[in-house]
């Protein structure tokens, strides 16, 4: 399968892929079934494709925004804080706050921040998640942090 093409299984499940910004090559996967959609998009450096306000600055940014538009559930890379990213540009990962701004702009209904920095402690992640979740609690988008053992339905 090529990027931009889709696979269908029993005409019930559609799978599409999207090439993302990562120096080692990475692809998002979108699953659509029974009118619901989910995108798994980790190892993606959105900061290269979007301005801080989530306005696309590259063709890939425009295409990614369309790819995740109105999805029911997005699992997104959010490895860094804004401060941490300043020393890690080009490493292939995104700041959590930009991942959320892009998701909101695309009309995503539920987003889970994933691909946490392995140097972050649980306490650090709790503080980071509370700050960003609070910033979105008045929006239609549900925000939560991925955790070991978490199970969701949508």
């Amino acid at each position: 399968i090529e990027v931009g093409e889709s696979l269908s299984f029993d005409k019930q499940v559609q799978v599409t892929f999207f090439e993302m910004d990562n120096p080692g090559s990475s692809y998002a996967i979108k699953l659509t079934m029974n009118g619901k959609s989910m995108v798994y998009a980790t190892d993606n450096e959105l900061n290269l494709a979007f301005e801080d306000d989530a306005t696309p600055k590259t063709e890939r940014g425009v295409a990614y925004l369309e790819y995740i538009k109105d999805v029911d559930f997005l699992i997104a890379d959010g490895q860094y804080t804004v401060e941490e990213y300043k020393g890690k540009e080009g490493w292939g990962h995104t700041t959590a706050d930009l991942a959320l701004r892009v998701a909101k702009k695309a009309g995503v209904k539920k987003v889970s921040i994933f691909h946490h920095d392995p140097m972050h402690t649980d306490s650090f992640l709790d503080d980071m998640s509370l700050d960003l979740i609070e910033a979105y609690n008045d929006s239609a988008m549900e925000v939560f942090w991925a955790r070991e053992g978490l199970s969701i339905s949508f």
Side-chain angles (χ1 to χ4, degrees):
I1 186 168
E2 298 292 325
V3 172
E5 294 178 356
S6 64
L7 292 173
S8 292
F9 299 95
D10 295 331
K11 297 182 182 180
Q12 294 178 0
V13 179
Q14 183 180 25
V15 182
T16 58
F17 302 90
F18 182 86
E19 187 171 12
M20 300 192 295
D21 277 313
N22 186 284
S25 186
S26 181
Y27 294 86
I29 301 168
K30 182 191 281 185
L31 302 170
T32 305
M33 180 176 169
N34 298 326
K36 297 281 187 176
S37 56
M38 183 204 82
V39 172
Y40 176 81
T42 189
D43 295 329
N44 189 15
E45 192 165 354
L46 294 175
N47 301 73
L48 299 178
F50 289 89
E51 302 291 348
D52 289 341
D53 67 355
T55 299
K57 61 183 177 183
T58 66
E59 288 182 25
R60 186 172 297 183
V62 171
Y64 180 77
L65 204 58
E66 184 61 31
Y67 187 72
I68 66 168
K69 183 179 179 177
D70 298 326
V71 297
D72 294 289
F73 181 47
L74 171 65
I75 300 169
D77 189 306
Q79 184 158 343
Y80 302 127
T81 65
V82 172
E83 240 356 88
E84 290 169 326
Y85 181 74
K86 291 176 185 174
K88 297 178 180 177
E89 186 174 337
W91 287 24
H93 302 288
T94 297
T95 60
D97 61 331
L98 182 59
L100 292 172
R101 281 196 298 278
V102 170
K104 183 175 181 181
K105 186 171 195 131
V108 172
K109 294 168 187 70
K110 186 181 290 194
V111 61
S112 179
I113 297 298
F114 176 75
H115 206 292
H116 309 303
D117 190 311
M119 300 308 293
H120 290 168
T121 64
D122 288 347
S123 176
F124 182 91
L125 288 172
D126 286 344
D127 291 344
M128 182 178 166
S129 68
L130 288 174
D131 289 344
L132 287 170
I133 288 170
E134 185 175 311
Y136 288 89
N137 71 2
D138 65 342
S139 76
M141 183 175 73
E142 181 183 346
V143 176
F144 59 97
W145 255 236
R147 296 179 179 275
E148 185 175 344
L150 178 68
S151 123
I152 62 127
S153 55
F154 64 97

